[in-house]
Amino acid sequence: MMPEPILAANGKNSLSVTEGIIESVWAPGTFVDIDDARDAMRATALLARTGRMPMLSVMTDVEISAAARYEFAKSADVLAIAVLGSSAVDRVVAAATSRDTRYPHEFFTSRSQALAWLAGFLDQSAEPASEQQEASVTASGAR
């Protein structure tokens, strides 16, 4: 657990780790551009330096540019992401972000349900990234 959160995107984003899950909290009313996304991903990489980790992304009333959504989708440090929002608009933003991801991505309005879903990925976060990607390819081929 990190003693203090890491601030990214000029203070728009606060990241911390609790019980093996990265929590990324975006300030309500924020517009996220590609530079903000890249900075947040650098902070995520610092937190996940031992391997990919599940992430809770709190994005209530946040607007994300198309370029930033694409940048987030390329993240190699996220094992799975639960987006926590509170409105239909938040759900649409989360759906648009999930289009290009190569990791599981779900939208929630309940923090406890989001954390419960992410807890299912905690065992996988201990695996090296190459083994996780291989398992993901194998699993998707079996569907």
Side-chain angles (χ1 to χ4, degrees), residues 14-58:
S14 174
L15 297 103
S16 60
V17 175
T18 303
E19 297 180 15
I21 296 173
I22 296 173
E23 183 168 351
S24 170
V25 180
W26 288 91
T30 295
F31 176 78
V32 180
D33 63 22
I34 192 166
D35 292 328
D36 296 331
R38 287 179 178 150
D39 195 46
M41 288 176 56
R42 279 190 290 272
T44 300
L46 285 173
L47 292 172
R49 64 181 168 253
T50 59
R52 296 186 330 155
M53 295 176 69
M55 175 186 276
L56 174 65
S57 182
V58 181

Side-chain angles (χ1 to χ4, degrees), residues 28 33 36 54 68 70 74 78 85 92 97 102 121-122 138:
D33 63 22
D36 296 331
Y70 182 72
K74 297 187 312 184
V78 174
V92 170
T97 303
R102 293 175 19 194
F121 294 94
L122 286 173
T138 303

Side-chain angles (χ1 to χ4, degrees), residues 40-89:
M41 288 176 56
R42 279 190 290 272
T44 300
L46 285 173
L47 292 172
R49 64 181 168 253
T50 59
R52 296 186 330 155
M53 295 176 69
M55 175 186 276
L56 174 65
S57 182
V58 181
M59 301 192 84
T60 301
D61 190 29
V62 174
E63 186 179 346
I64 305 174
S65 73
R69 287 193 304 266
Y70 182 72
E71 195 69 24
F72 282 133
K74 297 187 312 184
S75 176
D77 299 304
V78 174
L79 181 60
I81 188 166
V83 177
L84 184 60
S86 63
S87 70
V89 173

Side-chain angles (χ1 to χ4, degrees), residues 89-106:
V89 173
D90 295 337
R91 183 180 298 275
V92 170
V93 169
T97 303
S98 71
R99 286 188 194 129
D100 298 313
T101 61
R102 293 175 19 194
Y103 47 82
H105 187 282
E106 292 289 333

